Amino acid sequence: MKSLEQYWNESYQRPDLKPTFDNWLDKYWHEYVSTTSQEDLIVDLGCGVGNNAKYLVEHGLSPIACDISEVAIHTLKSFFPNIQTLCLDMTEGLPFHKDSVQILIADLSIHYFNEATTHEVIRDLYNVLKTDGILLCRLNSTNEISNKGNVIPTIDRYLMESEGIYRRFFDREEIERFFDKEKWTYLHIEEYEMDRYTNKKKLWEIALKPRK
C-alpha cells in the first residue's frame, strides 16, 4: 500500500493539471460565503492544485489552502503565489484553534480512511468550526465504485482498496452515521454526477452547521 502522501505526490506530477472549478459553491455564496469578513478563516482542506481556491480567490476571498501533497501545493502556488498554504496530514489533527474557522471546505478529501480515522477527522472538523460556521463537503458515492475499475473489498463494506490506497464510499445512511444529526444541522444533501479530471464521478454534496 502507498501512503496518501506518496500517492498524491505521484498523481500531481501531471504537467497538464491546472485549477478549474465547477461552481458547486455558487449556491452557498450569498448566504454563507460572501458575508465573511477579512478576519474570518476560510479553509480549503485537501485543496489539490487549487480548484476551490481559484473560485474563492477570484471572488475576492483569501482562503488557507491545505493539502498532504507538496507537489499539489507547489502547483497551486505557481498559479496563486500570494495564497496562504499549509502542507498537512489531516489524520494528525488540524492546526487551527477550536471554534476558529468560519468556512471549511472538504471537497473529495475526507474519504480515504478507515472508520476510526474518519470519525476522528470529522470530530476535528466539528471542533475547529465556529458555532455559526459551515462545512461544505463532497464525498465519494457508493454508486461511484463501478467507475473505479479494479477495487478490492475490505472487511468494511464501504472501504475499498483502489490504485494502491484505500477509498471510502458513502450512501445517505452512511453519511448520516458519520455526521450525526445530534451534532450537525443539515443545510443541503444531494447526490449527483460531475466531471473530474476528464472522468465522470458520482458523489454526495453536503452542507452542514455544527450544533454546539
Side-chain angles (χ1 to χ4, degrees), residues 20-129:
T20 58
F21 57 81
D22 61 328
N23 294 315
W24 74 288
L25 296 174
D26 276 354
K27 66 175 70 68
Y28 310 108
W29 173 255
H30 290 292
E31 187 170 358
Y32 301 108
V33 184
S34 67
T35 55
T36 58
S37 70
Q38 290 295 322
E39 291 73 36
D40 286 327
L41 279 184
I42 302 173
V43 175
D44 183 7
L45 191 61
C47 62
V49 298
N51 297 336
N52 298 304
K54 175 181 172 69
Y55 178 96
L56 295 168
V57 168
E58 292 186 357
H59 283 74
L61 300 176
S62 301
I64 302 173
C66 310
D67 204 275
I68 196 172
S69 168
E70 293 180 355
V71 176
I73 293 292
H74 178 77
T75 301
L76 185 155
K77 293 284 279 188
S78 71
F79 290 99
F80 304 106
N82 296 322
I83 197 171
Q84 184 177 349
T85 59
L86 287 174
C87 192
L88 62 82
D89 181 347
M90 70 182 78
T91 67
E92 297 175 354
L94 299 179
F96 306 107
H97 294 302
K98 182 178 174 62
D99 302 330
S100 66
V101 178
Q102 185 66 37
I103 298 174
L104 182 50
I105 297 170
D107 187 11
L108 302 174
S109 63
I110 63 169
H111 49 217
Y112 296 101
F113 318 120
N114 63 32
E115 179 167 343
T117 302
T118 304
H119 278 297
E120 290 171 4
V121 168
I122 292 171
R123 178 203 62 204
D124 288 344
L125 304 184
Y126 177 90
N127 286 338
V128 303
L129 276 168

Side-chain angles (χ1 to χ4, degrees), residues 129 151 154 177 199 205:
L129 276 168
V151 297
T154 70
R177 188 170 72 86
N199 297 315
E205 176 184 324

